Amino acid sequence: MTDKLEQKSANRCHGGWVKRFSHYSNTLDCEMVFGIFLPPQVEQGPVPVLWWLSGLTCNDENFMQKAGAQKMAAELGIAIVCPDTSPRGTDLPGEHDSFDFGSGAGFYLNARRAPWSQHYKMYDYVTEELPALVREHFPVSEREAISGHSMGGHGALVCALRQPGRYASVSAFAPVTNPVDCPWGEKAFSNYLGDDRSEWAEWDACELILAGKSKQGLLVDQGEADNFLDEQLKPGHLEKACHLQGVPLELRRQPGYDHSYFFIATFIDDHLKYHAEHLFAS
Ligand SMILES: N[C@@H](CCC(=O)N[C@@H](CS)C(=O)NCC(=O)O)C(=O)O
C-alpha cells in the first residue's frame, strides 16, 4: 500500500512545519522515509513544491538540518520535499560496503541489472510514486521545481531533462554533470545498468543535453575549492554541452567554496528565489 503514511516527527519552523514520514514504497519494495517543509501559506491553500535530491552518504535529513532553506521557503511560500538517496532496509551483496554505491547512493536511476533492479528504482520513486503520495496527503499544487547536490544535482538535472516541461525550473549545487565519464558514475552505472555503455546515456545530463532533449535553462553553483571538482563533477563538460545545444546555463563558479553544506547554505536563498520566479510565473 502506498497511501499509508506514518509521521515520525514534526517541528515548527519559521511559521511552518518540518515533518518526517515513513511509508512503504511499492516502487522500491521497501520502507522509506522522506522529509517535508510546509510553509505557513499552506493554511491559505495549495503551495508549489521544490524537490530536493541529496548527494552520496545523505538521507532525507541532511538538507533539512544543514541548508537553512526554511526561512526563505517560508517567505516565498514553497514546500520542500527531501526524499532519501536510496532504498533502505535491504541487504543485497555489497550494498553497504562503500559510500559511492548501494545504500546512500541510488543515483536517481532505474537499475536494470540484478540484484539491484528489484529495489533500486529511485527515478520512478522521486518522479512518480513520491509526488503522487505527497499530492494525496499535503496541500501542494501541481507546480513543481527540482534541485539537488552532487549525486542529487545529477538527479535533478536528469529528472528535468528526461521530462521537458514538467518542472518549472531546475538548479543544482556541484552536480555530477557527466556520470558516464567519472569514477562515481562509472562504478554506479556499470553495476546498476550493466556494461553496455550505450544504455548509460539516458541517465547522463551532458548526454541528454547533447541529444537535444530539452532547452530549459539551468542554474548551477559550483565551489572552486571543491575536492571533487575535476575528477567527479566536471562542470566544464556541462558548459560545453549547453553551449553546443544552445541551452541557457548560468554556471556560477564560487571562489573558495568547497563541497559541503556550508556552500549550499550560502547560496540556497538564490536558488529558492530563482525557483519562486518560475513557480509563480503566470
Ligand atoms: N564520504 C565521502 C564524501 C561524501 C560527501 O561529500 N557527500 C556529500 C554529498 S556528495 C554530502 O552532502 N555529505 C553529507 C553532509 O555533508 O551532510 C568522502 O569521504 O569522500
Side-chain angles (χ1 to χ4, degrees):
M1 290 290 288
T2 53
D3 58 351
K4 291 259 171 31
L5 283 188
E6 189 183 326
Q7 185 169 301
K8 293 175 71 73
S9 64
N11 298 90
R12 203 90 170 110
C13 185
H14 292 288
W17 289 93
V18 172
K19 297 185 177 184
R20 297 181 78 212
F21 294 90
S22 63
H23 72 106
Y24 187 81
S25 164
N26 285 326
T27 305
L28 305 177
D29 194 13
C30 63
E31 197 76 17
M32 293 293 286
V33 175
F34 68 90
I36 185 165
F37 173 66
L38 294 163
Q41 290 84 346
V42 293
E43 281 159 32
Q44 274 80 59
V47 297
V49 182
L50 175 69
W51 297 96
W52 174 267
L53 305 183
S54 282
L56 295 170
T57 73
C58 293
N59 61 18
D60 64 288
E61 292 192 289
N62 300 67
F63 181 82
M64 285 297 184
Q65 294 183 355
K66 293 179 160 183
Q70 292 90 349
K71 185 165 190 272
M72 182 56 70
E75 269 175 43
L76 296 167
I78 298 174
I80 303 175
V81 182
C82 298
D84 205 341
T85 55
S86 73
R88 298 291 178 177
T90 46
D91 200 12
L92 302 169
E95 189 178 13
H96 312 303
D97 292 353
S98 52
F99 81 93
D100 55 0
F101 177 71
S103 50
F107 274 83
Y108 305 103
L109 50 70
N110 292 333
R112 289 211 194 96
R113 205 165 150 252
W116 311 101
S117 47
Q118 187 191 342
H119 300 285
Y120 278 70
K121 301 232 181 295
M122 287 300 288
Y123 177 75
D124 284 351
Y125 177 67
V126 301
T127 63
E128 289 176 25
E129 185 178 9
L130 192 56
L133 191 69
V134 165
R135 289 196 184 105
E136 185 185 337
H137 290 274
F138 303 95
V140 296
S141 70
E142 294 285 313
R143 299 284 287 170
E144 50 187 347
I146 192 161
S147 186
H149 173 223
S150 196
M151 173 185 74
H154 138 78
L157 295 174
V158 164
C159 289
L161 287 161
R162 287 174 64 101
Q163 297 192 42
R166 169 165 177 179
Y167 300 95
S169 44
V170 54
S171 75
F173 291 80
V176 177
T177 67
N178 198 188
V180 303
D181 188 21
C182 75
W184 283 344
E186 287 175 302
K187 179 175 175 180
F189 284 20
S190 56
N191 281 288
Y192 292 138
L193 301 173
D195 293 328
D196 180 357
R197 284 178 170 250
S198 66
E199 298 197 7
W200 296 8
E202 61 177 296
W203 303 106
D204 180 290
C206 286
E207 297 288 341
L208 289 165
I209 289 166
L210 289 170
K213 289 284 183 219
S214 165
K215 303 283 184 207
Q216 183 174 27
L218 311 171
L219 170 63
V220 174
D221 270 309
Q222 174 62 63
E224 285 187 337
D226 187 322
N227 285 341
F228 302 116
L229 183 59
D230 296 328
E231 198 189 1
Q232 308 285 2
L233 309 175
K234 306 191 179 188
H237 290 206
L238 183 66
E239 209 163 27
K240 193 170 169 196
C242 288
H243 178 71
L244 284 170
Q245 286 294 326
V247 171
L249 168 67
E250 187 177 357
L251 172 61
R252 311 192 312 179
R253 294 176 185 268
Q254 307 288 5
Y257 286 89
D258 62 18
H259 197 64
S260 70
Y261 266 88
F262 294 113
F263 157 64
I264 297 171
T266 305
F267 299 106
I268 190 64
D269 282 2
D270 293 352
H271 286 240
L272 288 164
K273 287 182 206 159
Y274 175 79
H275 290 297
E277 272 172 31
H278 293 84
L279 286 166
F280 294 110
S282 46

